[in-house]
Amino acid sequence: MARALDLNAVRAEFPILSREVNGRPLVYLDNAASAQTPDAVLDSMSNQARTAYANVHRGLHTLANETTEAYEGAREKVRRFLNAPSEENIIFTKGGTEAMNLVANGITDMIEPGDEIVLSVMEHHSNIVPWHFLRERHGAVLKWVPVSKDGSLDMQALEAAVGPKTKLVSLTHMSNVLGTKVDAKRATEIAHAAGAYILIDGCQAGVHLNLDVQDIGCDFYVLTGHKIYGPSGIGALYGTAEALDALRPYQGGGEMIEIVEQDRVTYNVAPHKFEAGTPPILQAIGFGAAIDWLSAFDMEAVRAHETALLQKATAELSAINGIRIHGTSEGKGPVLSFSVEGVHPHDIAQLLDRYGVAIRAGHHCAQPLMNHLGVSATARASFALYNTEQEVDEFIEALNKARGMLL
């Protein structure tokens, strides 16, 4: 039976939510950057370190075997979370950024001058800069798909952009700025019809959507732990067996090899082929614990709660003169980016902090999108399952006070 979404009980599992900032109760609305971490996750890492910690794989002693079991158990939890067919499809990385760099490095042998990589203008820099490396070093051409006025991806423009020279389509599943949800399954069909690979960046979507990589059909899918109530320093790359087999190794070292001699080396198979050296063991275990913690809830109830918070905050913001909301697409995630006419977003964020309200301000690692929106930066409030309607009220009250000081 799924766990009920009892907000008081849930919040009690996050000690940080009971602290004060500048003499005010903390209102944490920066979840799109990093969510807070519950006791269950912290305890999983602490207990492992205290009772059964050693390096993983190849150890013949008890502690090594116990740690390996916990580490590989976390891989199985990621597999189940994504509905991947096998644990061998799951590569642990230090985060979403490394996962995308792994793919970019792995396909370099496939890239010829003039080959195309298709992106949308709302991608995070982690899903832009690795492809610029291929543009700079291998002559790849980056093609950009625009978003519509409401922030939704222009699927007709995507179809037009993908063609016989396309080697890879790489798209966010949910924008970290606009909250836009992309039809990843349809995008995959478009990419595959042209014979191209497709990577889906699920770092923002992972905590808000039910994920099924087999239903999507994508070649690669990326997750990060710290947005799913887990620790930082850990993420995962899903790849089909065929796609992973086609990638060259990303880093060299221990674990990713079969045989090393003075004049030759043979490589291991996935996932170990891409996990050189000692991995982030405790972080992976914490990642698995975070997936367990989140998966225990009725996700339909979680989504309904987050959507209600977003709708309330959107309605309140819309009633304030001089506020521009960025991203209004149907079914968007609980991410609310906005501009206050005549006020820099940094000033808004700093003044809100005086009232204990934590939001993010800046370009959110999405400068092409900022250019598309015609702004240099935005303010952003983002909601998690532990946020409350009262916190939305406190956010709006603090925002009105900040406007009063700045205008």
Side-chain angles (χ1 to χ4, degrees):
M1 181 180 292
R3 179 182 172 185
L5 187 57
D6 181 335
L7 287 182
N8 289 332
V10 168
R11 289 177 66 86
E13 298 177 44
F14 293 80
I16 196 170
L17 297 180
S18 65
R19 71 164 289 182
E20 292 187 346
V21 172
N22 295 320
R24 304 292 184 104
L26 170 65
V27 176
Y28 186 79
L29 302 179
D30 194 21
N31 299 286
S34 282
Q36 297 297 335
T37 309
D39 285 333
V41 174
L42 300 173
D43 290 346
S44 73
M45 296 186 289
S46 176
N47 291 340
Q48 189 74 37
R50 286 192 172 102
T51 63
Y53 179 74
N55 212 326
V56 293
H57 306 136
R58 300 187 308 281
L60 300 178
H61 58 82
T62 297
L63 294 187
N65 291 333
E66 289 178 352
T67 307
T68 299
E69 183 178 352
Y71 177 77
E72 291 300 331
R75 196 190 306 275
E76 164 58 20
K77 293 173 183 179
V78 176
R79 182 209 68 76
R80 190 169 60 246
F81 189 67
L82 292 173
N83 192 33
S86 169
E87 294 177 23
E88 295 176 354
N89 299 114
I90 306 300
I91 314 300
F92 278 131
T93 64
K94 69 180 183 183
T97 297
E98 185 178 52
M100 285 178 269
N101 276 273
L102 188 160
V103 175
N105 183 276
I107 67 171
T108 53
D109 292 342
M110 310 176 197
I111 299 298
E112 301 289 340
D115 286 342
E116 296 169 352
I117 297 169
V118 176
L119 312 170
S120 83
V121 297
M122 61 182 167
E123 300 308 317
H124 189 281
H125 291 170
S126 294
N127 197 21
I128 296 176
V129 179
W131 317 119
H132 270 301
F133 288 169
L134 297 184
R135 178 189 61 79
E136 292 174 338
R137 302 168 190 178
H138 299 276
V141 175
L142 304 189
K143 297 188 71 175
W144 298 89
V145 179
V147 295
S148 302
K149 188 175 181 180
D150 66 352
S152 58
L153 184 67
D154 187 334
M155 297 301 288
Q156 288 185 330
L158 176 64
E159 287 192 70
V162 175
K165 290 188 176 181
T166 305
K167 283 296 174 71
L168 176 77
V169 176
S170 196
L171 300 172
T172 184
H173 201 174
M174 181 181 289
S175 167
N176 71 309
V177 178
L178 305 175
T180 298
K181 178 185 172 184
V182 170
D183 186 343
K185 186 172 183 177
R186 177 61 186 137
T188 296
E189 293 169 351
I190 292 170
H192 285 173
Y197 286 118
I198 184 166
L199 180 150
I200 302 296
D201 171 10
C203 290
Q204 201 64 237
V207 70
H208 300 301
L209 303 179
N210 288 332
L211 304 180
D212 187 336
V213 293
Q214 294 189 75
D215 180 63
I216 293 171
C218 56
D219 301 289
F220 304 104
Y221 197 95
V222 173
L223 281 180
T224 193
H226 66 101
K227 299 183 194 294
I228 311 181
Y229 307 104
S232 60
I234 185 68
L237 171 69
Y238 158 81
T240 64
E242 297 77 13
L244 291 176
D245 185 61
L247 297 186
R248 71 178 190 180
Y250 175 50
Q251 294 177 319
E255 191 66 35
M256 53 77 64
I257 49 80
E258 288 184 336
I259 299 172
V260 176
E261 297 178 351
Q262 289 185 340
D263 57 356
R264 74 184 184 105
V265 58
T266 59
Y267 302 120
N268 211 334
V269 296
H272 307 298
K273 172 184 174 183
F274 302 104
E275 294 181 10
T278 299
I281 299 167
L282 295 178
Q283 291 93 328
I285 292 168
F287 190 12
I291 287 173
D292 281 344
W293 183 86
L294 178 60
S295 300
F297 291 95
D298 177 348
M299 291 307 297
E300 292 300 324
V302 170
R303 275 196 293 273
H305 171 65
E306 293 174 339
T307 299
L309 295 176
L310 174 67
Q311 290 175 343
K312 177 179 173 63
T314 300
E316 296 281 356
L317 275 185
S318 299
I320 302 173
N321 290 332
I323 297 282
R324 176 187 173 193
I325 294 174
H326 304 284
T328 58
S329 60
E330 185 178 353
K332 65 173 282 185
V335 179
L336 185 55
S337 290
F338 62 96
S339 300
V340 179
E341 186 177 350
V343 179
H344 196 284
H346 290 174
D347 295 330
I348 290 290
Q350 287 181 318
L351 284 176
L352 261 60
D353 185 61
R354 293 187 185 181
Y355 297 98
V357 179
I359 68 167
R360 179 119 337 212
H363 54 61
H364 313 295
C365 293
Q367 287 180 303
L369 178 58
M370 296 296 111
N371 292 336
H372 179 80
L373 297 174
V375 297
S376 61
T378 72
R380 182 186 71 189
S382 48
F383 305 97
L385 64 81
Y386 47 62
N387 290 125
T388 68
E389 290 192 6
Q390 180 181 343
E391 289 182 315
V392 174
D393 291 335
E394 292 169 356
F395 158 57
I396 297 298
E397 181 181 357
L399 179 59
N400 279 320
K401 289 178 179 178
R403 287 180 69 249
M405 293 183 215
L406 294 167
L407 294 176

